[in-house]
Amino acid sequence: MAFKHRSIAYLLSILIFVSLHVANGIPPETICGSTVNPTYCKNILANQNGNIYDYGRISIRKSLSQSRKFMNSIDSHLQGGSSLSQSTIRALEDCRFLAELSFEYLSNTYTTTNQSSNVLPTSQAEDFETFLSAVLTNQQTCLEGLNTIASDQRVKNDLLSSLSDDMKLHSVTLALFKKGWVPKNKIRTSWPQNGKHLNFKNGRLPLKMSNKARAIYDSARRNGRKLLQTNTNEDSVVVSDVVVVSQDGSGNFTAINDAVAAAPNNTVASDGYFFIFITKGVYQEYVSIPKNKKYLMMVGEGINQTVITGDHNVVDGFTTFNSATFAVVGQGFVAVNITFRNTAGPSKHQAVALRSGADMSTFYSCSFEGYQDTLYTHSLRQFYRECDIYGTVDFIFGNGAVVLQNCNIYPRLPLSGQFNSITAQGRTDPNQNTGTSIQNATIKAADDLAPKVGTVQTYLGRPWKEYSRTVFMQSFMDSFINPAGWHEWNGDFALNTLYYAEYSNRGAGSSTVNRVTWPGYHVIGATDAANFTVSNFLSGDDWIPQTGVPYSSGLI
């Protein structure tokens, strides 16, 4: 009994020691050592005392305050818009759009961490880590737009100075949040059997819907629409409402944007999807899914049957961000059986077919067609399955946390003198949880490139940003892939800080014998590759099953 009491006393003494250590705090210089810019971190935490959670809350509060100030600064410039060039206005509008998103991410993070204890549920901590990573991406995108097309130097000088400081601050906020609240990932190396999924391709989509939605759906079927069949004996995708878009006037709408506008605002996953069926046709629309249009499911009649097309591009004065034919930021978006196209052509340089900054967005059996910058995986968590991606220069790019699984990747014929780069991943901070994972892809030359593969060099990727992170695993690479595999961006920029990896690829272009020897390039094994699976990299087991889209949790 005495031994038991001594053990309890010993444990209590440890707990008291730990609690006093936490209560008395840690010097800022100790905490700041884990950040990218320790000097800047120490400046913003000067004369403060606390533990990692206290410092994290201080930094989040400062980031939120600066975010509001930056948004106000943009507004003041836009209010004097009559004296600004059109290109500057476009860049400012992008910055305003992105700043509003960032303010919301920071506000949600601050509210929760300020009211909670020092422990968050793992899923919530991962959500906030994703949002804080996106804040940095949003700032970087604003910066690029201003530098690329804004012509009013006074505006640029004012905002670029603010952006530089704010990005340092947001970097500190991400680092401190990650150190305090985000648990060390427990990487799975074996995965549960995936749950039932729904077979879109064979025309069967089990839908669980309201009586109102069922009436619209049945009416559309009676009128000959080739809507996907229902089967109530299987698990169902929950649908709150159904509308049909058809150019011949037989549906609810003739334009996709009108259908989007009719969707309810700020729904949650349990409400079910607002289901938009788009009949076959070429829709010349610039579609934007705003942040308040959540959980939309958009289904077409098939690749090259339902086509959404546009031709905005940088040469004609658009930012890369705003050149997208189709853009989505509404959480939980799902697209199936649709072609997204930008027809600007290689001479117009950056021209985006689809841009996604929608958290937990899913694309299944879709095609993305363009040349330079086709698919802009801008930010947050995204999953692509059995899609076709066509392009030339940096045609899968962005800074989301992205897995492309079982996709076909088709490099095309670029401009004379250009080389093809499949990826250009844009991670700017080592604490961002972002990267591009390409699993079980098939990489072959498109029809226009195939006869000329001997004269055009094609690479797996190049480092757009300092901490660029891309992994190719379990994929087929045809012989036209350059033996070096990867191409530099500019001299030795990012070659030490990037993370490029290959695992268990196949095909004549997959040999790693003559690959680059950069410090950041790796040939990895199964343990490291497991970090970049749907389950580990996206926490996809938590949100992909409800979409009905098939997927593999882990390595194949």
Side-chain angles (χ1 to χ4, degrees), residues 44-45 52-68 102-117 120 125 128-129 131-132 135 166 168-182:
I44 67 169
L45 298 179
I52 180 61
Y53 304 103
D54 298 324
Y55 290 135
R57 293 186 183 98
I58 291 167
S59 187
I60 294 167
R61 185 176 69 246
K62 287 178 179 287
S63 275
L64 180 61
S65 176
Q66 284 303 115
S67 179
R68 184 185 293 108
S102 294
F103 181 80
E104 182 176 307
Y105 300 154
L106 287 163
S107 181
N108 290 341
T109 306
Y110 177 70
T111 298
T112 300
T113 54
N114 201 46
Q115 294 176 351
S116 70
S117 68
L120 294 175
F128 290 144
E129 180 187 17
F131 297 150
L132 295 178
V135 169
D166 289 357
K168 292 177 186 176
L169 174 58
H170 300 326
S171 174
V172 169
T173 296
L174 173 60
L176 297 184
F177 179 85
K178 187 172 181 178
K179 189 173 181 66
W181 279 279
V182 179

Side-chain angles (χ1 to χ4, degrees), residues 137-249:
T137 303
N138 291 344
Q139 294 283 87
Q140 184 66 36
T141 305
C142 170
L143 175 68
E144 287 157 3
L146 290 170
N147 278 329
T148 301
I149 73 167
S151 58
D152 295 83
Q153 198 59 46
R154 177 183 60 84
V155 173
K156 290 173 70 171
N157 290 344
D158 177 40
L159 293 180
L160 293 179
S161 176
S162 295
L163 276 168
S164 177
D165 286 341
D166 289 357
M167 289 171 73
K168 292 177 186 176
L169 174 58
H170 300 326
S171 174
V172 169
T173 296
L174 173 60
L176 297 184
F177 179 85
K178 187 172 181 178
K179 189 173 181 66
W181 279 279
V182 179
K184 294 292 184 182
N185 288 334
K186 295 180 179 178
I187 300 300
R188 293 180 183 172
T189 54
S190 62
W191 294 270
Q193 184 176 354
N194 296 331
K196 287 184 179 179
H197 63 262
L198 310 178
N199 194 337
F200 289 93
K201 283 191 170 179
N202 292 333
R204 298 175 64 193
L205 175 56
L207 300 174
K208 181 179 179 182
M209 34 175 104
S210 66
N211 290 335
K212 175 187 173 186
R214 176 69 61 190
I216 295 171
Y217 186 88
D218 289 343
S219 174
R221 289 178 62 195
R222 285 195 299 271
N223 291 330
R225 290 286 153 231
K226 295 179 181 178
L227 285 165
L228 303 167
Q229 301 298 307
T230 63
N231 183 340
T232 55
N233 294 325
E234 298 182 24
D235 292 341
S236 300
V237 169
V238 178
V239 171
S240 61
D241 207 346
V242 175
V243 296
V244 178
V245 179
S246 182
Q247 291 177 322
D248 64 9

Side-chain angles (χ1 to χ4, degrees), residues 304-341:
N304 293 329
Q305 299 297 309
T306 299
V307 180
I308 305 171
T309 185
D311 65 358
H312 287 172
N313 59 85
V314 168
V315 171
D316 289 342
F318 293 87
T319 60
T320 302
F321 183 81
N322 212 22
S323 70
T325 300
F326 192 103
V328 54
V329 295
Q331 180 176 308
F333 177 78
V334 181
V336 183
N337 295 345
I338 299 172
T339 291
F340 302 94
R341 183 179 289 162

Side-chain angles (χ1 to χ4, degrees), residues 476-520:
F476 173 83
M477 301 177 182
D478 216 342
S479 59
F480 71 106
I481 299 296
N482 186 285
W486 307 81
H487 199 283
E488 65 275 1
W489 184 271
N490 183 17
D492 62 359
F493 169 73
L495 303 188
N496 293 322
T497 50
L498 61 79
Y499 182 89
Y500 287 166
E502 297 180 55
Y503 167 70
S504 193
N505 297 305
R506 60 196 184 278
S510 68
S511 172
T512 59
V513 173
N514 294 310
R515 288 295 197 247
V516 294
T517 57
W518 307 336

